[in-house]
Amino acid sequence: MLLSDKTAVISGAASARGIGRCTARLFAEHGARVAILDLDQGASREAAASLPGSGHVGLRCDVTDRGACLAAAEAAAEALGAIDVLVNNAGITQPIRFLDITPENYEAVTDVSLRGTLYLSQAVIPFMRERHSGSIICMSSVSAQRGGGIFGGPHYSAAKAGVLGLAKAMAREFGPDNIRVNSITPGLIQTDITAGKLTDAMRTEILKGIPLNRLGDAADVAGACLFLASDLSSYLTGTAIDVNGGMLIHG
Ligand code: NAD
């Protein structure tokens, strides 16, 4: 049990096959009580009720809305008693080419990943600061590092690259408060974000570029989240962990 007596807030964690939900389950299996935040109240509550153990809560929170983030952080802190871990996981993508990106596309995609990470972190950090302890995990993407994944458009790459910069700046500013901030850069993970869009031909082509010769599962990313949330990573801050099967190997 790596998270006994710990509490965690995870955004975008209602989606049944998603990274957030899988992370919530793994955290709960390791003893944590979890607040699941997502767009729909009913879906968030249902997801929280499906977790092993007790004391979990599901809350409605659109992370692009600063007031909603403040209210959700307050409600989570009250229900859980404290917030030890925040996973900024909510994100959307659009497979659109550069010249076709409209202002609405740009805002939709950057708002959830980048503005959402800013607002929810701003809402949660005061609770962590008070207790001089915290771990924040920000969900970026291989798309930020290689200028496009497979499904994300350039605005998605930009949003996820922005997340990396924001996380590093938070790591620097809140290190003295003993709040660690790290990112994860997943490769292609089989969730509903890509569901139905991956043809067999595409899969074969994509696998040629993945040394581990398989697409990722939500559990692969959840494991990295667990490491970053737990004391096993107590001297890591400002880092980005690649969970991509070798799709991108740095020089
Ligand atoms: P998913 O679609 O299963 O889950 C995303 C969740 O975010 C959904 O539950 C959705 O309702 C929620 N959400 C969307 N907008 C929101 C908002 N404004 N406020 C609160 N919640 C909101 O997708 P996933 O694959 O599990 O993605 C999780 C994260 O991982 C995302 O940030 C995504 O960009 C990132 N990621 C995914 C992959 C992949 O291949 N699946 C790769 C790299 C990064």
Side-chain angles (χ1 to χ4, degrees):
M1 300 276 260
L2 290 172
L3 299 178
S4 294
D5 301 323
K6 301 265 189 193
T7 58
V9 170
I10 309 180
S11 70
S15 172
R17 287 182 349 117
I19 291 168
R21 175 80 159 261
C22 188
T23 301
R25 200 178 311 119
L26 187 61
F27 281 14
E29 283 166 8
H30 278 267
R33 281 175 300 122
V34 181
I36 285 185
L37 274 47
D38 213 302
L39 290 171
D40 183 74
Q41 173 77 65
S44 301
R45 282 201 180 137
E46 237 170 76
S50 77
L51 300 178
S54 59
H56 312 296
V57 285
L59 301 166
R60 193 197 115 69
C61 176
D62 178 344
V63 296
T64 69
D65 176 342
R66 191 160 189 266
C69 288
L70 291 168
E74 189 85 39
E78 198 180 317
L80 303 174
I83 303 175
D84 295 303
V85 179
L86 166 64
V87 186
N88 284 305
N89 171 73
I92 60 167
T93 188
Q94 295 169 341
I96 302 178
R97 295 175 74 82
F98 186 86
L99 293 178
D100 299 326
I101 298 170
T102 64
E104 292 74 24
N105 295 145
Y106 177 83
E107 273 161 28
V109 167
T110 55
D111 267 9
V112 182
S113 281
L114 191 49
R115 193 187 292 271
T117 296
L118 173 71
Y119 286 169
L120 193 56
S121 302
Q122 284 180 326
V124 166
I125 283 172
F127 293 100
M128 294 180 162
R129 226 179 185 174
E130 217 174 74
R131 300 170 61 238
H132 198 68
S133 172
S135 174
I136 300 178
I137 299 151
C138 298
M139 207 54 72
S140 178
S141 168
V142 70
S143 178
Q145 301 161 308
R146 44 165 261 172
I150 283 112
F151 290 101
H155 52 336
Y156 180 75
S157 299
K160 292 303 194 183
V163 167
L164 287 180
L166 193 63
K168 287 180 188 178
M170 285 196 282
R172 210 170 272 287
E173 185 168 340
F174 298 107
D177 294 298
N178 196 31
I179 299 171
R180 301 183 294 107
V181 187
N182 294 286
S183 300
I184 297 181
T185 43
L188 186 54
I189 312 298
Q190 303 180 87
T191 69
D192 288 338
I193 215 169
T194 52
K197 295 172 200 145
L198 192 65
T199 62
D200 282 348
M202 278 171 86
R203 177 189 294 264
T204 306
E205 199 48 42
I206 291 165
L207 285 178
K208 286 183 192 160
I210 303 180
L212 288 183
N213 199 35
R214 67 171 176 89
L215 302 184
D217 291 319
D220 294 316
V221 183
C225 287
L226 175 63
F227 169 65
L228 289 176
S230 78
D231 293 340
L232 288 179
S233 60
S234 55
Y235 203 49
L236 270 73
T237 198
T239 71
I241 298 187
D242 295 340
V243 183
N244 65 23
M247 179 194 261
L248 179 76
I249 297 177
H250 301 273

